[in-house]
Amino acid sequence: MDELIEITQRNIVINRKDILRILSFQDEDIIFLSGSLIEGIINKYSKGMGNKLSDIDVFILSNDVNKIQKSTFDYEREGLKTQFKKQNGVDFDIEIHCKKSIVNLIDQLNTYNFDDSIRTFNALKLPTDFDFYKFTSFLHRLQNSIVIYNEKEFDSLISRFNRKNYFKLMTRVSVNKIDLYYEDVVGNIENGQLEVAVNIARTILLETMKAYLFHMKSSIDRDKWIPLKLKNLAQYNDEVAEIYVRFKKLYFEEKLDEDSKLQANAESIIEFSNYVINKIGQEGEL
């Protein structure tokens, strides 16, 4: 385990030991760093993420959250505490989670039956104040992280995590969202509300690309990074490169200054989305 971590986006080097000095934790806890700055330096498909104003996320998985010392800036919910600290000009957002609850949720995901008729969003029994998005965001960050304390237990947690189930679940979540928006686009086109139709269609386009990224085993938890992730992945895969060019044209390049162009854009997005979702389905992910 290297002691020094170079954060290229901020042109700084941080020391693991220095970070541990500002944290309150127990000997058996697991501690790792994540967030856009960390992901940008460890994942080639995330190159360029983070900026000079980005903070660093610190995750502490504790056997007993109540033993973590409180500060004046703590936010506390059941099984979760949040702290904010600063060191050498770097902001650290610290989340302290109940290790047992996280392991339980990972085990639920590992054994989830995708043939079950239960709605995808209700697939897991989540603790109070810990919703589906927070958990899946946590899993994304777990996969894009640098451990700074208790490496052996961290590796054990990673090894028990069924990434195949995670990517399949997240692909389905985005596809389900697309289904909810589809008729809204069609209805607004029929009623002549073309600006509204395009606006909803753009949401469909982003969710389609998110589903495709998960299908390609590239995790994401913030929509703002979808174009960057696609662009990076396209450098390594010809099929993704084709998908990225079509996405970029529909989302960034088409001129929408006439009703006919607005309608054409919305309809083209629906057609492209169907093409991508059918491709995912043909490969057994739905």
Side-chain angles (χ1 to χ4, degrees):
M1 185 189 299
D2 295 332
E3 293 300 327
L4 300 180
I5 303 169
E6 184 178 1
I7 309 296
T8 53
Q9 292 287 68
R10 294 193 61 165
N11 196 29
I12 58 173
V13 176
I14 57 177
N15 191 305
R16 296 172 194 262
K17 292 181 179 178
D18 290 341
I19 299 173
L20 293 176
R21 288 192 188 101
I22 66 172
L23 303 177
S24 173
F25 60 94
Q26 305 294 312
D27 289 344
E28 68 275 11
D29 294 347
I30 299 170
I31 306 176
F32 62 89
L33 308 180
S34 192
S36 58
L37 286 174
I38 299 298
E39 184 175 346
I41 63 176
I42 66 171
N43 187 338
K44 67 181 181 180
Y45 301 136
S46 304
K47 184 178 179 182
M49 284 181 61
N51 57 65
K52 292 182 179 180
L53 299 178
S54 299
D55 52 28
I56 294 176
D57 297 325
V58 182
F59 290 86
I60 302 176
L61 305 187
S62 176
N63 285 347
D64 190 347
V65 174
N66 292 323
K67 286 185 178 181
I68 302 293
Q69 294 179 11
K70 297 181 72 175
S71 72
T72 55
F73 299 102
D74 281 0
Y75 292 89
E76 187 170 1
R77 298 188 297 273
E78 181 181 345
L80 169 65
K81 289 184 179 181
T82 303
Q83 299 174 332
F84 304 96
K85 296 191 178 182
K86 195 180 190 80
Q87 184 187 66
N88 299 327
V90 180
D91 292 317
F92 291 90
D93 285 1
I94 304 160
E95 289 189 10
I96 305 113
H97 292 268
C98 174
K99 189 193 302 181
K100 184 178 179 180
S101 294
I102 292 296
V103 170
N104 174 264
L105 286 170
I106 288 175
D107 287 344
Q108 285 187 54
L109 177 60
N110 289 347
T111 58
Y112 178 64
N113 180 10
F114 287 93
D115 293 329
D116 200 329
S117 60
I118 189 170
R119 191 167 178 256
T120 302
F121 299 103
N122 300 321
L124 305 172
K125 296 179 181 178
L126 296 158
T128 305
D129 294 328
F130 198 60
D131 61 26
F132 183 81
Y133 171 75
K134 289 175 185 174
F135 176 56
T136 54
S137 178
F138 172 87
L139 291 180
H140 167 80
R141 289 163 188 260
L142 178 66
Q143 297 173 84
N144 293 279
S145 63
I146 297 175
V147 59
I148 63 171
Y149 184 79
N150 211 341
E151 186 174 15
K152 184 177 180 180
E153 279 215 43
F154 175 84
D155 290 342
S156 176
L157 183 65
I158 289 289
S159 66
R160 78 186 290 160
F161 172 40
N162 186 335
R163 294 177 77 249
K164 181 179 178 180
N165 271 18
Y166 165 76
F167 284 115
K168 190 167 187 175
L169 177 65
M170 297 310 294
T171 302
R172 287 194 174 190
V173 166
S174 284
V175 171
N176 284 351
K177 289 181 180 179
I178 293 165
D179 289 341
L180 294 174
Y181 290 121
Y182 177 80
E183 288 187 1
D184 208 3
V185 175
V186 174
N188 276 288
I189 290 175
E190 291 177 349
N191 288 337
Q193 301 296 335
L194 300 176
E195 292 89 349
V196 177
V198 168
N199 194 34
I200 302 167
R202 288 167 73 85
T203 300
I204 287 178
L205 182 56
L206 288 177
E207 285 296 336
T208 302
M209 293 300 93
K210 196 189 302 183
Y212 184 68
L213 284 168
F214 281 119
H215 167 65
M216 296 300 293
K217 309 301 183 287
S218 181
S219 183
I220 188 167
D221 75 332
R222 298 287 189 273
D223 287 359
K224 64 182 179 181
W225 300 120
I226 290 173
L228 177 64
K229 287 253 182 173
L230 279 171
K231 184 178 180 180
N232 286 339
L233 190 58
Q235 297 177 37
Y236 301 91
N237 184 296
D238 290 341
E239 178 189 285
V240 181
E242 176 195 340
I243 295 290
Y244 173 66
V245 168
R246 295 181 67 179
F247 161 76
K248 186 179 177 184
K249 181 177 184 295
L250 289 168
Y251 199 78
F252 294 111
E253 297 175 359
E254 289 195 348
K255 193 172 183 179
L256 306 176
D257 58 346
E258 298 176 6
D259 282 355
S260 60
K261 293 178 181 178
L262 286 166
Q263 181 170 338
N265 179 257
E267 291 174 345
S268 294
I269 287 175
I270 294 299
E271 180 183 357
F272 176 56
S273 176
N274 288 337
Y275 166 77
V276 174
I277 299 307
N278 285 338
K279 180 182 286 291
I280 293 172
Q282 289 169 4
E283 296 177 20
E285 291 298 313
L286 300 177

